[in-house]
Amino acid sequence: MGKVFNYIRVSSKEQNEARQVEAMNKFNKENGVINPIELIDKSSGTNTNRDQLQLLLKVVGKGDLVVIKSIDRLSRNYKECKQLWEEITSKGADIVVIDMPMLDTRQYKDLLGNFISDLILSVLGYVAEQETEFRKQRQAEGIAIAKKQGKYKGRKKIETNDNFIEIYNSWKQGNITAVKAMEELGLKKNTFYRRVKEYESNC
């Protein structure tokens, strides 16, 4: 076996990856994996613009193994999920989905095995994408009802000034830590990352 990559993804910086890490550690122990390469993204799964995922795609190669806890950790977008799967396997690497033992390319190398894996992958990828769409729909419906009842005021938009931009750039360039940036701006963690998200979405 070549290199083993434990790919972990949570949707935001505030979410905890401990559950996925625990599952990876158990897999590594049971399979005799020594010195796995752990890659953690704290980003939405609705697109592939993730630093650690892009690094994985660059360095993974023949004989390597990519381990993920569930298929939606790879992507919540149906088409992108299949594309990522095919890109990784086309490089000669294998993929294991811990929560779905049938999705283990090490075990099913024949035509029927590939067909079954492709079918399961398609179904799970589709379901993950639909869950995202349903969640957005429920949120929109909830907001619409709240507006009719006069209870929805929306989230107050945080103003971005020159001082924030200067400190943001310094943080992004690695000159200061996120904690230092929060101190300089006088912001709590959640507020800081919300402002970052708003600023980046408008860039």
Side-chain angles (χ1 to χ4, degrees), residues 4-6 8 26 34 36 46-48 57 67 86 113 165 182:
V4 176
F5 297 91
N6 290 170
I8 295 168
K26 182 181 178 183
I34 301 174
T46 56
N47 64 72
T48 60
L57 295 176
V67 185
E86 291 168 0
I165 295 173
M182 292 175 206

Side-chain angles (χ1 to χ4, degrees), residues 100-113:
M100 182 59 64
M102 286 289 288
L103 288 176
D104 182 346
T105 62
R106 301 172 303 171
Q107 298 183 24
Y108 306 102
K109 297 293 186 181
D110 60 359
L111 186 60
L112 178 59

Side-chain angles (χ1 to χ4, degrees), residues 23 27 66-73 85 95-108 113 116-125 127:
F27 174 88
V66 177
V67 185
I68 55 177
K69 187 177 187 301
S70 58
I71 194 63
D72 62 352
R73 298 304 87 194
W85 187 279
I95 304 177
V96 170
V97 181
I98 295 176
D99 287 351
M100 182 59 64
M102 286 289 288
L103 288 176
D104 182 346
T105 62
R106 301 172 303 171
Q107 298 183 24
Y108 306 102
I116 293 173
S117 293
D118 286 345
L119 181 60
I120 295 173
L121 175 64
S122 296
V123 172
L124 292 178
V127 169

Side-chain angles (χ1 to χ4, degrees), residues 43-144:
S43 178
S44 170
T46 56
N47 64 72
T48 60
N49 187 25
R50 293 172 247 148
D51 292 342
Q52 297 303 298
L53 175 62
Q54 292 303 318
L55 174 60
L56 171 65
L57 295 176
K58 287 180 181 178
V59 300
V60 71
K62 187 174 182 180
D64 293 341
L65 176 64
V66 177
V67 185
I68 55 177
K69 187 177 187 301
S70 58
I71 194 63
D72 62 352
R73 298 304 87 194
L74 194 60
S75 177
R76 284 189 174 275
N77 181 287
Y78 169 60
K79 290 182 179 179
E80 287 182 350
C81 186
K82 289 202 69 176
Q83 290 172 353
L84 288 169
W85 187 279
E86 291 168 0
E87 183 173 352
I88 292 170
T89 55
S90 70
K91 295 174 181 287
D94 282 308
I95 304 177
V96 170
V97 181
I98 295 176
D99 287 351
M100 182 59 64
M102 286 289 288
L103 288 176
D104 182 346
T105 62
R106 301 172 303 171
Q107 298 183 24
Y108 306 102
K109 297 293 186 181
D110 60 359
L111 186 60
L112 178 59
N114 289 335
F115 171 76
I116 293 173
S117 293
D118 286 345
L119 181 60
I120 295 173
L121 175 64
S122 296
V123 172
L124 292 178
Y126 176 77
V127 169
E129 183 172 353
Q130 287 302 302
E131 286 179 350
T132 300
E133 293 302 317
F134 288 151
R135 186 171 63 252
K136 290 179 180 178
Q137 182 179 341
R138 288 193 296 269
Q139 289 173 343
E141 289 171 349
I143 290 173

